[in-house]
Amino acid sequence: MSGSPSPLVCWDDVAAVAPDGLAVLDCAGRFVRLNPAAVALCGAGEEADLLGTSAPFAQVEGAATCHVGLLEHQSDEQVAHWVPASGTRREFAYRARGLPADPRFTIVSFRDVTDERHRQRRIAAIAQTSIALASEGSLGSTLDAVAQQIVQADGLAGAQILTLDDTGRELRLMGSAGLRHWDAFLDRLLECQDRGARLSMLDALREREPIVVPHRWAQILADPAWEPLHAYLGELNWDSFVSVPLMARGRPEGVLNAYFAPGQEIGGRTLEFLAAMAEQAALAVDYAALLQREREGARRNERQRLARDLHDSIVQQVFSIGMQANAVGVLGARGEPVPAEAVRAFAEEIGVLSQTIRADLRAMVHELRPSSSTRLGLEDAVSALVKSTENRTGLGIRLLYGKEVTDVEPELAEDMYRIVAEAIHNVVKHAEATTVTIRLGVRDHTLTASVRDDGRGLPEPGERGTPADGEGGRTAGTAWDHGYGYGLTTMRERAERWGGTMRIRSRAKSGTTVRIVVPLPVRVPEPPPTALDGSRSDPPAVPLRKAPGPVPSEC
C-alpha cells in the first residue's frame, strides 16, 4: 500500500457512541455541541434543546477540584451540579480542557456520579454519627447531630428523633434538623390526635417496622384534624414521610421521622440507610440510659454516705454546743461571780447560733439525700431549699408556682430541682444580689422554671470566656473559665436530657435570669390485648393517650 492510510473510524462516530458525555463550550460557557450521551445525562430530548444554554462546568482547568471523600482516590475530576428542566438535581464529575486549535472553545467530558456520591455521603453520615456517639455530648446534642447527618446525606427536608422513657409509655422530642425548635410541638400533636388525626409514628412503634406514607403532606393539609400543626409543618418544603422505630435490646427506644422533599424517591436503599441511622440513634439512647443509671447509683451512694456522716457527727456536736450554752445560762442565773447578763447574752447567742446551724445542717442533709424532690414533690423540695438558703445567707427569695407543678413526674422533678438549686448557688456565690424570684409552672403541656436576681449580672461581652448572643444577653452554650462553666454545663445537660432548653439573659447591674423550658412527654397507648390463640386484633389507629370518643380514622 502507498500513501497515507485511510482512517478506520470516523471520530464523529466515536463521539456518538461514547459512554461518557462530551460537550464543547464557547468562551461564555454555553453549549455549542453535545454527543448523545451528554444530551441524555442532561435530561434533554435532543441536542437542539441544550444548544446556547449555560453549562454547569467551570472552564478553567483544575478549578473547583472535587473534594476527596473517605472512600475516594485522588482525582483531577471536578464536580458540577445540574438541575434539568424536569427531574431531580444531578451531580456530574468532569474534566475540562482547552481546544488547542481554537482557545475560544473548551472540551468537557463528564459522567453522572449522583448515586455514587450519595452512597459516599451516607457512609460518611454513619461514620460521623459513630464519632458523635463516642463524644462527651449530651443525648440531645448527639441526636441533633444524627438528625443533621440524615438531612445532609439524603437531602431531606427534615428529620426528628423522639425517644421513649424507661417505662416505654412516654415520648419526648430529643433531636431534630430542618424543623425549627418549637416547645409546643408535642402539645399540638396531642391536640391533633384528640381531633382524630392518625399518627404514623405510633404505627411504627407498635409494628416495630418502618412505616412509609407517600404524599403525606397533602393528606395532612387536607385533614382538618391536623389544623393545629398546618402552619408549623407548612414551613417545610416536603411531601412524603417515613417513620422508623429505634430498636435496642429487642425493645423500642423511640422513632426516627424523616420528611422527604418533593420528587425524592423512597427506595430500598433509602430505607436501609434510615434503618442504619435509626440503629445509631437507638445505641445513643441505650448508652445514655445505662450511663444515667450508673451516675445515679454513684450519686445515691455518695449522698447517703455524706448524709450519714453529717448526721452522726456534726449534728450531734451542734446539739452539744446547745447543751453547753444552756448550762452557762443556768450558772449565770445563780448569781455566781460571773456577770449574769453577760452569761445570758452569751447563752442566748450560742443557742440561736446552734439552732440556726442545726436547721441549716438538717437542710443540707435533706438536700444531699437522694431524690429529695421525688419524695417531697417539686414544690415542697424547692420551698425547703428556699428556706435553707434564706436562713444561711439572708437573701430574700420569692417563690411563685402553679398548681400543676405537683403533678410533674419524679425524675423530671429531681432534675428541675437540681437546676434551680445550681442557679441559686450561682446567685449566692457570684451575683451579689439582694433578692431572687423563682417561678415554676406548667402551661401548654410545657414545664417552665425561671430564676431571676437583681445582682451585678454576668461579665460583659468580650471578657475572657464570655460569648454574646447579639441581644445583650448570654447563652449557656460555652464552658466559661470564671467559675460558672461546670455548673451551667450540668444545668444545660439536665434540661437537654428531657428535650428541654436553657436560656440565660444578663445585663450589667441589672441582674440575671435563667429560664428553663421542658416540653412534657406524650403518652403512648397501651398495646392491644392478645387473644388466646396468640393473635392480636389491632385497631386501625391508636391514640397517644386514653381519650373518650371513637377510634380516629386514617387521614
Side-chain angles (χ1 to χ4, degrees):
M1 298 178 62
S2 61
S4 300
S6 299
L8 299 177
V9 180
C10 176
W11 285 110
D12 287 342
D13 294 335
V14 173
V17 298
D20 287 344
L22 297 175
V24 180
L25 312 182
D26 63 17
C27 58
R30 296 184 293 255
F31 287 118
V32 296
R33 190 71 188 273
L34 301 94
N35 72 337
V39 174
L41 288 172
C42 292
E46 55 186 36
E47 183 182 17
D49 296 334
L50 296 171
L51 295 180
T53 62
S54 296
F57 312 111
Q59 294 177 273
V60 180
E61 295 182 18
T65 302
C66 174
H67 173 70
V68 180
L70 179 66
L71 303 179
E72 298 175 277
H73 298 291
Q74 183 66 43
S75 172
D76 63 346
E77 285 186 319
Q78 304 169 63
V79 174
H81 300 280
W82 173 257
V83 181
S86 61
T88 59
R89 189 181 75 162
R90 312 303 296 172
E91 293 183 77
F92 295 151
Y94 71 97
R95 293 182 176 90
R97 298 289 186 271
L99 187 63
D102 191 339
R104 295 175 302 171
F105 297 98
T106 301
I107 307 300
V108 177
S109 65
F110 61 100
R111 58 192 178 90
D112 191 337
V113 293
T114 306
D115 293 339
E116 176 184 343
R117 290 179 62 79
H118 193 184
R119 286 193 297 271
Q120 291 168 357
R121 283 194 294 270
R122 285 175 169 177
I123 294 173
I126 295 174
Q128 290 292 335
T129 302
S130 298
I131 294 172
L133 295 181
S135 70
E136 294 294 331
S138 66
L139 178 61
S141 61
T142 299
L143 295 183
D144 275 339
V146 174
Q148 190 64 41
Q149 290 292 337
I150 294 171
V151 169
Q152 291 178 352
D154 266 26
L156 301 184
Q160 294 174 320
I161 299 176
L162 295 93
T163 63
L164 287 167
D165 68 348
D166 291 340
T167 66
R169 307 309 309 156
E170 293 183 343
L171 275 172
R172 291 185 180 277
L173 178 60
M174 294 296 293
S176 65
L179 297 96
R180 66 177 172 86
H181 181 81
W182 189 30
D183 294 327
F185 171 73
L186 289 178
D187 189 45
R188 297 296 178 268
L189 194 66
L190 278 176
E191 186 177 345
C192 292
Q193 184 274 322
D194 288 340
R195 293 161 63 112
R198 177 168 183 159
L199 307 183
S200 299
M201 65 179 178
L202 295 184
D203 295 338
L205 278 174
R206 184 187 61 189
E207 301 295 338
R208 303 188 178 187
E209 294 289 343
I211 298 295
V212 180
V213 187
H215 311 302
R216 180 59 166 165
W217 173 232
Q219 298 174 12
I220 289 177
L221 197 58
D223 187 352
W226 284 95
E227 192 276 332
L229 282 175
H230 279 172
Y232 177 68
L233 294 178
E235 296 174 4
L236 281 182
N237 181 25
W238 70 290
D239 179 28
S240 299
F241 176 82
V242 173
S243 187
V244 183
L246 313 183
M247 302 297 298
R249 303 173 188 267
R251 64 185 296 267
E253 296 285 355
V255 289
L256 163 63
N257 294 334
Y259 298 80
F260 286 77
Q264 286 185 317
E265 296 182 359
I266 306 174
R269 289 183 176 177
T270 299
L271 293 178
E272 183 180 357
F273 169 66
L274 291 178
M277 297 301 285
E279 183 177 354
Q280 296 286 316
L283 288 174
V285 175
D286 189 47
Y287 173 74
L290 291 174
L291 189 61
Q292 181 65 26
R293 285 195 289 269
E294 181 180 348
R295 288 174 176 172
E296 288 176 352
R299 289 171 183 167
R300 181 169 57 251
N301 294 337
E302 181 64 14
R303 289 170 183 165
Q304 288 174 338
R305 184 188 65 80
L306 290 173
R308 183 175 58 252
D309 292 346
L310 285 170
H311 183 271
D312 292 344
S313 59
I314 299 177
V315 173
Q316 293 182 5
Q317 293 176 12
V318 171
F319 178 76
S320 299
I321 292 175
M323 293 296 293
Q324 293 174 9
N326 291 333
V328 173
V330 171
L331 291 176
R334 291 177 180 175
E336 299 292 333
V338 180
E341 292 301 324
V343 173
R344 289 193 183 95
F346 177 78
E348 182 179 355
E349 180 180 352
I350 294 299
V352 172
L353 179 61
S354 67
Q355 291 176 5
T356 302
I357 294 175
R358 190 162 54 222
D360 190 35
L361 287 176
R362 283 173 177 168
M364 290 177 63
V365 171
H366 162 75
E367 183 177 339
L368 287 169
R369 283 176 180 165
S371 302
S372 58
S373 59
T374 299
R375 293 181 292 105
L376 296 176
L378 181 57
E379 175 194 334
D380 291 339
V382 174
S383 297
L385 175 65
V386 166
K387 292 179 182 178
S388 171
T389 304
E390 287 179 327
N391 291 337
R392 186 175 73 255
T393 66
L395 189 65
I397 303 178
R398 184 186 182 196
L399 174 60
L400 304 173
Y401 54 86
K403 295 181 179 179
E404 294 186 13
V405 170
T406 56
D407 298 328
V408 175
E409 63 180 89
E411 286 192 43
L412 174 56
E414 179 71 16
D415 273 336
M416 185 61 76
Y417 168 79
R418 297 298 173 187
I419 292 172
V420 172
E422 181 64 30
I424 294 176
H425 170 77
N426 284 337
V427 172
V428 173
K429 188 174 181 181
H430 302 288
E432 299 178 4
T434 58
T435 60
V436 177
T437 300
I438 303 172
R439 298 179 184 272
L440 295 169
V442 175
R443 184 179 180 182
D444 293 335
H445 211 67
T446 301
L447 172 63
T448 60
S450 66
V451 179
R452 184 178 185 276
D453 66 69
D454 62 352
R456 62 187 180 91
L458 298 178
E460 286 299 313
E463 293 189 20
R464 189 163 62 100
T466 60
D469 66 2
E471 300 179 13
R474 322 278 194 274
T475 59
T478 302
W480 302 342
D481 54 8
H482 54 70
Y484 289 89
Y486 179 77
L488 292 180
T489 299
T490 301
M491 293 163 67
R492 186 178 69 254
E493 288 179 350
R494 287 184 182 276
E496 290 179 350
R497 176 192 175 196
W498 302 97
T501 58
M502 185 179 77
R503 186 73 172 173
I504 293 180
R505 295 292 184 191
S506 180
R507 296 183 183 275
K509 300 180 181 180
S510 297
T512 300
T513 300
V514 179
R515 179 176 171 83
I516 304 94
V517 179
V518 178
L520 296 179
V522 295
R523 296 289 296 173
V524 176
E526 296 290 342
T530 302
L532 294 177
D533 60 359
S535 63
R536 295 193 310 173
S537 178
D538 294 336
V542 287
L544 278 173
R545 60 184 178 186
K546 293 181 179 179
V551 175
S553 61
E554 182 64 71
C555 60

